[in-house]
Every structure is written in C-alpha cells, then in structure tokens.
C-alpha cells in the first residue's frame, strides 16, 4: 500500500477533519501559504506533505486543545 501525498488528498483530509489551512499551519509549524501551495500542487515537497498529513490524522484521532481554544471551544473542567 502506498501513502498518497497529492495536494488534493491533503486538502480532502484537512476538510474531512474540519480544519482550515491556518489550523493546519498551527499544528505543523508551517506557513499557511506553504500548505496552500502543497494542496494546490504548485509545490511538491514529500517530507512536508507527510508532516501535514500526519498532523491532520493525529488531530482527527486525538484532537488538539490549542485548536479548540482558538475556535473558542474551551471545555473547562466542571467546578465542584
């Protein structure tokens, strides 16, 4: 089985996870403009594409508190 790292696949995975480009940039530490270039196919960088794909997959399975905070979805623990 091969891991597809095409721009369209990255965009589809990001959209299925409910993330926007800025959120993926925050998760990966890469500039949003660079992620847009990867997704559009205007830039081919397999190492970075893999990094983006892995970050999105991790978010989809585990979530990320920093993304939730930026979205305003803080879930503070209930007070006793």
């Amino acid at each position: 089985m091969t891991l597809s790292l095409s721009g369209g696949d990255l965009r589809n995975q990001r959209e299925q996870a409910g993330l926007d480009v800025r959120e993926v940039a925050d998760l990966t530490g890469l500039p949003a403009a660079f992620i847009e270039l990867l997704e559009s196919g205007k830039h081919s960088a397999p190492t970075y594409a893999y990094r983006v794909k892995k970050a999105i997959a991790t978010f989809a399975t585990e979530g990320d508190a920093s993304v939730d905070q930026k979205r305003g979805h803080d879930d503070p623990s209930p007070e006793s």
Side-chain angles (χ1 to χ4, degrees):
M1 180 201 302
T2 51
L3 179 65
S4 176
L5 297 175
S6 76
D9 289 341
L10 291 176
R11 180 179 292 116
N12 289 338
Q13 184 182 11
R14 175 181 57 76
E15 290 173 349
Q16 287 176 356
L19 294 167
D20 64 30
V21 172
R22 287 182 321 250
E23 291 168 331
V24 174
D26 289 342
L27 290 170
T28 60
L30 297 171
F34 183 73
I35 293 167
E36 290 173 342
L37 288 172
L38 289 173
E39 287 186 352
S40 70
K42 293 180 181 174
H43 195 300
S44 176
T47 301
Y48 291 114
Y50 177 77
R51 183 171 164 184
V52 169
K53 195 166 191 74
K54 184 176 176 184
I56 294 169
T58 300
F59 174 84
T61 58
E62 300 174 14
D64 186 295
S66 66
V67 171
D68 289 337
Q69 279 183 323
K70 289 179 183 178
R71 289 179 174 175
H73 296 159
D74 286 339
D75 188 23
S77 56
E79 295 181 24
S80 305

